[in-house]
């Protein structure tokens, strides 16, 4: 075991919350939540990761989310944990082609109750959403531009509502306020994010990780696990680049530019490389 301190986790929290896209996320940060999320993952023997953000205008899912799923999955597997991936049918082909074959998958037409039943079927697990849109106060899912994408979105948020009801730990990673978990800070989303009142997700989580892009939040969780456990778990830059390239080859697009290119949320590769380097620096003792 390492001797990671709360200050180490706060450093990671601050790093991943860099906001080069100027999305107004700083007020959404919850001090201590990244460390608590890491504790929950470290304590779990099984983790279900929910991701996949479909962009109807591009007829593709976006490059924010899946690379984060890959990094967390590899880290958790290295720690001997069982990892399951969940997405919905609009994203499932691309996830599979990128090496993230879903263990379960629902149609956008699925009933929330049928999705929720998965929690009981799976048994004890920690539930982690990475860049996964969820419904707002009006019951509809919105993208950051305020467009209703409910017809393209399975009600995977019901997993988190159900898990919370039975006391299983839930973690949300997001960068815009419309993702599962952001209900924890719904009033702050409404006050500080453009269109926040309209797009903010009502679904809360136990531990919220707020990041400049959600892949960074996922890396932050991996960095936190590395600090807590005392062994290196972050991907190398080469690995991270290769995963993103695989996602693009699988048909994923940048969520901001809608281009099929190895960028995330409109941010060029150097932004991601710098952030990864900074996180590796924060873990330099492990
Ligand atoms: Mg987002
Ligand atoms: Mg994003």
């Amino acid at each position: 075991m390492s001797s990671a301190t709360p200050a180490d986790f706060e450093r990671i929290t601050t790093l991943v919350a860099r906001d080069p896209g100027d999305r107004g996320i700083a007020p959404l940060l919850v001090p201590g939540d990244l460390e608590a999320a890491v504790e929950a993952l470290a304590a779990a023997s099984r983790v279900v990761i929910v991701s996949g953000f479909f962009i109807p205008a591009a007829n593709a899912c976006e490059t924010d989310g899946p690379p984060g799923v890959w990094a967390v999955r590899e880290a958790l597997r290295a720690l001997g944990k069982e990892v399951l991936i969940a997405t919905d049918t609009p994203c499932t082909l691309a996830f599979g082609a990128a090496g993230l074959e879903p263990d379960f998958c629902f149609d956008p037409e699925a009933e929330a109750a049928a999705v929720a039943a998965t929690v009981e079927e799976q048994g004890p697990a920690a539930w982690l959403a990475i860049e996964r849109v969820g419904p707002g106060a009006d019951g509809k899912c919105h993208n950051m531009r305020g467009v209703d994408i409910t017809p393209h979105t399975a009600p995977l948020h019901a997993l988190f509502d159900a898990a919370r009801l039975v006391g299983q730990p839930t973690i949300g990673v997001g960068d815009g306020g419309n993702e599962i978990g952001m209900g924890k800070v719904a009033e702050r989303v409404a006050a500080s994010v453009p269109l926040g009142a309209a797009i903010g997700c009502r679904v809360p989580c136990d531990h919220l990780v707020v990041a400049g892009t959600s892949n960074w939040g996922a890396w932050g969780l991996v960095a936190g696990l590395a600090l807590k456990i005392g062994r290196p778990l972050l991907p190398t830059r080469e690995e991270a680049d290769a995963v993103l390239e695989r996602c693009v080859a699988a048909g994923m697009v940048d969520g901001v530019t809608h281009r099929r290119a190895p960028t995330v949320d409109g941010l060029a590769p150097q932004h991601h490389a710098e952030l990864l380097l900074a996180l590796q620096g924060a873990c330099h003792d492990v």
Side-chain angles (χ1 to χ4, degrees):
M1 282 291 163
S2 73
S3 54
T5 66
D8 293 325
F9 289 99
E10 286 311 307
R11 185 169 172 216
I12 295 171
T13 300
T14 303
L15 283 173
V16 303
R18 279 183 192 172
D19 190 10
D22 201 18
R23 302 175 81 166
I25 58 170
L28 312 184
L29 289 179
V30 183
D33 261 25
L34 186 134
E35 182 174 6
V38 167
E39 296 282 348
L41 291 176
S45 55
R46 169 192 281 168
V47 179
V48 181
I49 309 178
V50 180
S51 188
F53 202 126
F54 188 74
I55 299 171
N59 195 30
C61 69
E62 69 157 298
T63 52
D64 196 17
V69 174
W70 184 87
V72 175
R73 180 186 69 178
E74 296 306 299
L76 292 174
R77 281 183 174 169
L79 299 175
K81 300 176 189 301
E82 182 185 3
V83 182
L84 301 173
I85 294 175
T87 190
D88 54 13
T89 45
C91 299
T92 189
L93 275 180
F95 267 58
L100 298 167
E101 189 68 47
D103 295 279
F104 49 98
C105 171
F106 288 93
D107 286 325
E109 294 77 24
E111 295 289 335
V115 175
T118 308
V119 171
E120 197 176 338
E121 290 161 16
Q122 290 299 317
W127 298 82
L128 168 62
I130 301 175
E131 189 63 16
R132 174 66 196 184
V133 68
D138 64 355
K140 298 194 162 93
C141 294
H142 298 91
N143 68 15
M144 64 182 286
R145 297 175 174 89
V147 177
D148 177 4
I149 56 170
T150 314
H152 306 276
T153 307
L156 299 181
H157 68 277
L159 297 167
F160 291 77
D161 287 336
R164 282 170 56 80
L165 273 179
V166 296
Q168 294 186 15
T170 55
I171 301 163
V173 178
D175 60 8
N178 55 344
E179 302 92 357
I180 291 172
M182 287 287 184
K184 181 168 183 174
V185 293
E187 288 179 9
R188 294 189 234 167
V189 171
S192 64
V193 173
L195 301 178
I199 71 169
C201 175
R202 67 142 183 90
V203 180
C205 62
D206 297 318
H207 316 300
L208 180 65
V209 178
V210 177
T213 78
S214 292
N215 289 338
W216 297 358
W219 286 348
L221 288 173
V222 175
L225 280 166
L227 280 175
K228 177 176 171 56
I229 308 287
R231 56 183 273 199
L233 294 167
L234 279 168
T236 64
R237 176 173 182 180
E238 291 71 25
E239 287 169 333
D241 286 350
V243 169
L244 181 55
E245 292 284 355
R246 270 209 305 281
C247 288
V248 175
M252 298 181 197
V253 300
D254 185 301
V256 170
T257 67
H258 294 183
R259 289 206 191 101
R260 195 170 157 185
T263 61
V264 181
D265 289 341
L267 298 172
Q270 86 197 54
H271 288 280
H272 310 291
E274 284 169 12
L275 197 280
L276 185 56
L277 191 65
L279 288 174
Q280 286 162 342
C283 297
H284 64 89
D285 287 335
V286 302

